[in-house]
């Protein structure tokens, strides 16, 4: 299993490569795109400023990564693209593949996948989790489209992966391992983070009602539902990176699958995604280091229980691990 | 509904998520049992706008049965057969709405699709499957190529964020940007290529707060426009599922789901975006914005001009 790290700038390459990153991904929004559509229309899932500022910088990042023999993948995983946007997208893919040296494109829109297959057939496709490939039907579909890798959504649990792996055959599977959860299914969240995450609980009052009719809630029901809201707020807090906090020991908090690494390895998962292209360099560094430390044990063939124990020790947040709400894999 | 030449224009379908509500589909404008406040308000807004636009209330010709949003609301084969039987005995065409599916439920859905395929062949009637998962689309296309496929509103991507969507149509916004937020990606040449060899007979849309760009030229198949609730987000974390369990077990998919979403709903009131124009509700695993009269009217008027339009009205918040 490779450690896939997010990149926000060329200067981050050496730091992350030296710390254990084995693959990189990033985004770029060409200036002509922003001029035409405004920064409000995102070319990938993150805002334009979370990506590289120029092709020159992107090329330099690829060169630096190549020095470590690390491939760089590019995200083109906006939920959808319109007809008018395709020429610019195809030009971008051609340029990135032929001139810049991007090794694969992370795509969620089946229309763009079809366009790539007909117009840039040599450009490898990684199916983004935004395409919601969560069953064997999806795996079969993307297999037929000859993709190279499929990123499983965060909601796919450990017990589901073996069947998906079997269906995938030679196609690589990537899973989420650290940071930035999603309360809803990423593919089916039709909101924009430009207004802050829709799921962020601090902005909402949750007012319970009966679904059926206009019955009044009993006092006991109201108590139960208010308690449920409190628990929900806590769950969302974990999913939203514990309010983007850093722990006392300097490690970033947030959704985590570290203690499942041995299981994921035995299931034949190929890549471990660390989320957070737009995060601070320090957060990326600490995240890569945490995954690397546990992966060393996995590669050393440590028993599953040992790996789990080490993961919890490194995480150093026993109360959060015990809560179960910070775990990708429950 | 018909145009000046007498050509039938608009079709009307009612979306029903439970067997118990099938009986209300004949007269969806009439009060129904156990209707909550927002559903009553929306019923009045929808049919009021309908009368303004068309002058008369039409009887629905189709029932869309099933949940588009939650795999744990997948009905049993028995319930699907019951709904199908009700539809055909009462002169309704039948559509089966499906949600996104994790592997376990995907296998259960496969059994339902096999039954529907058999019924379709036996009775020589068309059955529509509304898909909201590309895996379900591919499987149905491959295994049951005679079932009609409609691309559901969760696969028809667009921004439906009630906190900001009303700004997407402002006069000072760039034209290309405004057009992007109103258009679908499903009608691009490449997407048509992707869907090319499937039996796709229609596409479903939410009525967007910023407005939809629905082009008659692009819409060669049925265009289904949903009223009066638009889906903002849907996911695996259910807000009320596991309500009686320990905290650590909550907010994930429940194979033994007790359907608490059919008992409790939350209205989400935003403390920061005080200029929001649409109300927001969370039912189970999904968040919805409710329409208002203006939005309903806008949607019905856009359908009025279309040859292949279909208004889809949901009796309840549709989970």
């Amino acid at each position: 299993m490779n450690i896939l790290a997010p990149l926000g700038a060329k200067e981050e390459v050496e730091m992350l490569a030296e710390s254990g990153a084995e693959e990189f991904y990033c985004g770029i929004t060409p200036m002509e795109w922003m001029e035409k559509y405004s920064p409000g229309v995102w070319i990938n899932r993150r805002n334009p400023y979370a990506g590289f500022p120029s092709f020159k910088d992107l090329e330099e990042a690829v060169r630096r990564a190549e020095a470590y023999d690390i491939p760089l993948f590019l995200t083109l995983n906006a939920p959808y693209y319109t007809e008018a946007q395709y020429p610019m997208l195809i030009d971008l893919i051609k340029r990135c593949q032929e001139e810049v040296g991007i090794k694969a494109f992370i795509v969620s829109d089946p229309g763009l996948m079809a366009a790539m297959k007909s117009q840039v057939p040599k450009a490898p496709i990684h199916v983004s989790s935004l395409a919601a490939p969560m069953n064997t039907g999806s795996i079969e579909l993307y297999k037929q489209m000859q993709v190279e890798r499929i990123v499983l959504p965060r909601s796919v649990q450990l017990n589901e992966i073996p069947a998906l792996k079997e269906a995938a055959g030679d196609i690589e599977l990537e899973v989420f391992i650290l940071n930035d959860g999603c309360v809803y299914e990423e593919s089916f969240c039709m909101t924009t983070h430009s207004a802050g995450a829709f799921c962020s609980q601090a902005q909402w009052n949750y007012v319970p009602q009966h679904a059926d009719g206009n019955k009044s809630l009993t006092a006991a029901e109201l108590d139960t539902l208010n308690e449920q809201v409190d628990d929900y707020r806590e769950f969302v807090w974990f999913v939203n990176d514990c309010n983007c906090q850093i722990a006392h020991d300097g490690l970033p908090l947030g959704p985590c699958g570290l203690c499942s690494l041995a299981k994921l390895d035995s299931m034949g998962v190929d890549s471990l995604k660390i989320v957070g292209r737009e995060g601070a360099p320090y957060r990326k560094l600490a995240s890569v280091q945490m995954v690397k430390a546990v992966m060393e044990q996995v590669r050393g063939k440590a028993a599953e229980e040992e790996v789990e124990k080490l993961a919890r020790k490194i995480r150093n947040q026993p109360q959060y691990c015990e809560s179960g709400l910070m775990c990708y894999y429950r | 509904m018909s145009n000046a030449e007498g050509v039938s224009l608009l079709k009307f379908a009612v979306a029903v998520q439970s067997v118990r509500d099938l009986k209300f589909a004949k007269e969806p404008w009439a009060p129904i049992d156990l209707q909550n406040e927002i559903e009553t308000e929306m019923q009045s807004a929808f049919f009021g706008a309908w009368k303004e636009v068309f002058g008369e209330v039409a009887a629905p010709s189709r029932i869309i049965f099933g949940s588009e949003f939650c795999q744990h609301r997948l009905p049993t084969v028995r319930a699907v057969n019951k709904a199908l039987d009700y539809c055909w005995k009462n002169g309704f065409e039948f559509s089966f709405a499906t949600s996104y599916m994790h592997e376990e439920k995907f296998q259960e859905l496969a059994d339902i699709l096999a039954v529907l395929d058999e019924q379709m062949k036996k009775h020589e009637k068309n059955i529509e499957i509304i898909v909201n998962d590309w895996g379900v689309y591919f499987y149905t296309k491959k295994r049951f190529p005679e079932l009609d496929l409609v691309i559901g509103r969760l696969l028809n991507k667009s921004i439906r964020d009630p906190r900001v969507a009303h700004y997407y149509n402002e006069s000072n916004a760039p034209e290309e940007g405004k057009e992007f937020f109103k258009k679908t990606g499903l009608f691009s040449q490449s997407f048509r290529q992707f869907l090319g060899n499937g039996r796709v007979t229609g596409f479903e849309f939410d009525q967007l707060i910023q407005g939809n760009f629905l082009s008659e030229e692009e819409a060669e198949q049925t265009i289904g426009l949903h009223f009066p609730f638009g889906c903002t987000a849907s996911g695996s974390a259910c807000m009320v599922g596991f309500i009686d369990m320990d905290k650590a077990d909550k907010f994930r998919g429940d194979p033994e789901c007790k359907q608490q979403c059919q008992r409790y709903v939350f209205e989400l009131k935003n403390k920061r975006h005080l200029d929001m124009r649409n109300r927001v509700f969370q039912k189970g695993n999904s968040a919805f914005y409710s329409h208002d009269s203006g939005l309903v009217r806008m949607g019905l008027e856009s359908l009025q001009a279309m040859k292949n339009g279909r208004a889809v009205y949901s009796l309840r918040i549709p989970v």
Side-chain angles (χ1 to χ4, degrees):
Chain A
M1 287 191 295
N2 288 335
I3 300 170
L4 172 61
L7 267 190
K10 61 182 188 295
E11 291 79 10
E12 294 170 348
V13 169
E14 284 83 2
M15 168 186 85
L16 298 176
E18 296 284 350
S19 302
E22 291 154 315
E23 298 174 331
F24 288 125
Y25 70 99
C26 68
I28 188 166
T29 304
M31 196 49 75
E32 57 180 321
W33 178 282
M34 284 212 266
E35 283 167 0
K36 190 164 186 183
Y37 296 106
S38 85
V41 178
W42 297 1
I43 200 170
N44 58 57
R45 188 56 170 171
R46 290 284 184 265
N47 79 72
Y49 308 106
F52 274 65
S54 69
F55 283 102
K56 194 178 163 201
D57 271 29
L58 183 61
E59 273 185 54
E60 178 58 25
V62 170
R63 300 290 87 80
R64 292 183 186 192
E66 280 173 349
Y68 291 93
D69 204 19
I70 295 179
L72 179 51
F73 312 136
L74 190 77
T75 53
L76 282 172
N77 58 348
Y80 72 104
Y81 300 103
T82 58
E83 179 75 50
Q85 294 173 329
Y86 275 85
M88 209 190 289
L89 289 165
I90 294 298
D91 284 350
L92 170 69
I93 292 165
K94 280 182 181 162
R95 180 176 178 183
C96 285
Q97 201 222 348
E98 293 165 8
E99 297 169 28
V100 178
I102 293 294
K103 294 294 188 291
F105 297 85
I106 304 167
V107 181
S108 61
D109 182 65
L112 182 58
M113 291 182 211
M116 288 173 69
K117 282 295 163 194
S118 67
Q119 297 177 57
V120 207
K122 288 184 181 166
I125 295 172
H126 290 185
V127 178
S128 166
S129 56
L130 268 146
M134 56 175 71
N135 53 51
T136 47
S138 310
I139 302 288
E140 293 292 340
L141 165 65
Y142 297 120
K143 200 172 179 179
Q144 188 195 260
M145 295 183 87
Q146 298 175 310
V147 305
E148 201 166 83
R149 177 182 292 188
I150 295 173
V151 188
L152 301 180
R154 293 168 172 90
S155 61
V156 170
Q157 292 297 302
L158 293 175
N159 63 341
E160 301 175 79
I161 293 174
L164 302 180
K165 179 67 187 171
E166 191 183 340
D170 293 337
I171 295 173
E172 294 177 354
L173 291 188
E174 178 183 312
V175 300
F176 285 81
I177 201 66
L178 271 188
N179 305 337
D180 301 3
C182 195
V183 170
Y184 298 99
E185 189 66 56
E186 202 176 8
S187 179
F188 305 120
C189 182
M190 315 290 185
T191 70
T192 171
H193 281 209
S194 63
F198 179 85
C199 57
S200 172
Q201 48 87 21
Q203 70 190 302
W204 299 105
N205 281 328
Y206 303 93
V207 183
Q209 305 172 356
H210 255 293
D212 270 352
N214 288 314
K215 293 177 196 169
S216 298
L217 296 166
T218 64
E221 283 178 314
L222 206 51
D223 284 349
T224 305
L225 290 166
N226 284 333
E227 195 180 313
Q228 182 77 353
V229 168
D230 289 344
D231 291 349
Y232 185 72
R233 286 189 187 280
E234 191 177 336
F235 163 69
V236 175
W237 181 82
F238 276 115
V239 171
N240 292 162
D241 294 321
C242 308
N243 212 19
C244 302
Q245 287 182 44
I246 300 286
H248 293 308
D249 57 7
L251 295 177
L253 296 171
C256 169
L258 287 179
C259 67
S260 299
L261 276 175
K263 292 189 179 82
L264 292 167
D265 185 55
S266 68
M267 288 171 188
V269 165
D270 299 280
S271 179
L272 304 164
K273 182 180 185 127
I274 296 170
V275 192
R277 280 183 269 149
E278 74 281 31
Y282 173 76
R283 182 176 186 239
K284 295 171 193 167
L285 174 67
S287 299
V288 168
Q289 287 174 335
M290 274 197 283
V291 180
K292 172 84 183 311
V294 185
M295 273 307 294
E296 277 177 356
Q297 293 291 306
V298 174
R299 285 167 181 157
K301 304 292 175 199
E304 274 184 19
E305 302 75 37
E306 288 302 310
V307 172
E308 195 176 318
K309 208 169 149 187
L310 176 75
R312 285 171 180 254
K313 189 178 169 194
I314 287 173
R315 196 76 256 193
N316 197 22
Q317 295 293 332
Q319 73 283 20
Y320 289 177
C321 289
E322 283 307 311
S323 80
L325 298 178
M326 200 168 78
C327 307
Y328 272 132
Y329 306 104
R330 299 208 259 160
Chain B
M1 300 298 101
S2 60
N3 66 7
E5 290 78 41
V7 177
S8 176
L9 292 174
L10 182 66
K11 293 187 176 68
F12 183 27
V14 175
V16 172
Q17 293 81 34
S18 304
V19 168
R20 66 165 189 184
D21 285 343
L22 284 167
K23 60 180 181 289
F24 302 123
K26 284 182 186 171
E27 293 183 351
W29 49 84
I32 63 173
D33 291 349
L34 304 170
Q35 200 170 18
N36 68 23
E37 170 259 329
I38 187 64
E39 289 161 353
T40 306
E41 186 185 319
M42 285 298 100
Q43 186 182 43
S44 171
F46 178 77
F47 288 103
W50 182 292
K51 282 177 189 164
E52 282 176 29
V53 175
F54 298 118
E56 57 182 303
V57 178
S61 59
R62 176 181 293 273
I63 288 178
I64 297 174
F65 178 72
S67 173
E68 307 156 78
F69 303 107
C70 182
Q71 59 172 353
H72 299 298
R73 294 278 295 141
L74 184 70
T76 60
V77 171
R78 188 161 172 262
V80 173
N81 269 325
K82 205 168 175 179
L84 182 65
D85 189 52
Y86 178 88
C87 283
W88 285 352
K89 276 187 179 156
N90 289 280
F92 290 105
E93 294 175 286
F94 183 76
S95 301
F96 182 54
T98 61
S99 73
Y100 45 96
M101 297 279 165
H102 282 257
E103 187 60 18
E104 189 180 344
K105 289 288 177 182
F106 183 75
Q107 298 304 329
E108 281 182 38
L109 174 64
D111 294 340
I112 294 174
L113 293 172
V115 169
L116 290 175
D117 185 61
E118 194 183 309
Q119 294 280 15
M120 183 252 324
K121 287 172 179 160
K122 186 175 159 190
H123 295 274
E124 296 181 343
K125 287 185 173 185
N126 286 358
I127 290 179
E128 247 181 26
I129 308 299
I130 295 171
V131 294
N132 285 292
D133 178 320
W134 288 121
V136 174
Y137 163 79
F138 184 70
Y139 178 83
T140 312
K141 180 182 89 161
K142 198 169 142 192
R143 296 291 299 273
F144 308 111
E146 290 175 59
L147 290 171
D148 291 341
L149 286 164
V150 170
I151 307 303
R153 52 178 157 164
L154 285 183
L155 296 181
N156 192 354
K157 308 294 184 185
S158 51
I159 298 294
R160 302 169 216 180
D161 192 329
R163 298 172 304 166
V164 292
H166 49 287
Y167 291 117
Y168 286 170
N169 200 26
E170 287 206 331
S171 55
N172 58 353
E175 286 305 316
E176 285 86 356
K178 279 200 278 190
E179 187 176 296
F180 172 82
F181 288 120
K182 292 180 183 185
K183 287 195 89 166
T184 176
L186 294 176
F187 295 154
S188 70
Q189 203 182 344
S190 297
F191 225 111
R192 287 194 183 281
Q193 187 187 334
F194 168 70
L195 296 171
N197 57 356
R199 193 185 168 93
V200 176
T201 58
F203 299 92
E204 298 221 307
F205 289 74
D206 259 325
Q207 174 56 45
L208 304 177
I209 293 167
Q210 66 269 31
N212 299 61
F213 184 86
L214 293 173
S215 153
E216 178 71 20
E217 286 168 13
E218 290 181 319
E220 293 163 9
Q221 291 99 339
T222 299
I223 297 297
L225 193 55
H226 279 264
F227 302 93
F229 300 102
C231 182
T232 289
S234 184
S236 298
C238 180
M239 197 160 168
V240 288
F242 280 86
I243 201 166
D244 302 318
M245 304 291 280
D246 291 339
K247 198 192 313 180
D249 290 325
K250 289 181 176 179
F251 314 119
R252 52 180 173 154
D254 179 5
E256 304 299 325
C257 178
K258 296 182 181 69
Q259 312 281 305
Q260 291 101 328
C261 62
Q262 301 304 297
R263 284 183 64 82
Y264 305 114
V265 172
F266 292 87
E267 178 163 9
L268 274 56
K269 295 192 174 180
N270 201 293
K271 294 182 272 186
R272 293 180 188 160
H273 296 269
L274 301 175
D275 56 347
M276 266 173 60
R277 296 176 187 170
N278 300 79
R279 293 169 72 183
V280 177
F281 296 86
Q282 173 99 18
K283 187 170 184 179
N285 66 344
S286 302
F288 299 91
Y289 60 92
S290 60
H291 293 182
D292 53 35
S293 299
L295 207 53
V296 174
R297 200 178 312 112
M298 188 201 297
L300 291 175
E301 282 169 353
S302 68
L303 285 175
Q304 190 179 29
M306 301 192 81
K307 192 165 60 184
N308 301 314
R310 177 197 286 173
V312 182
Y313 172 73
S314 184
L315 295 162
R316 299 190 189 278
I317 300 174
V319 171

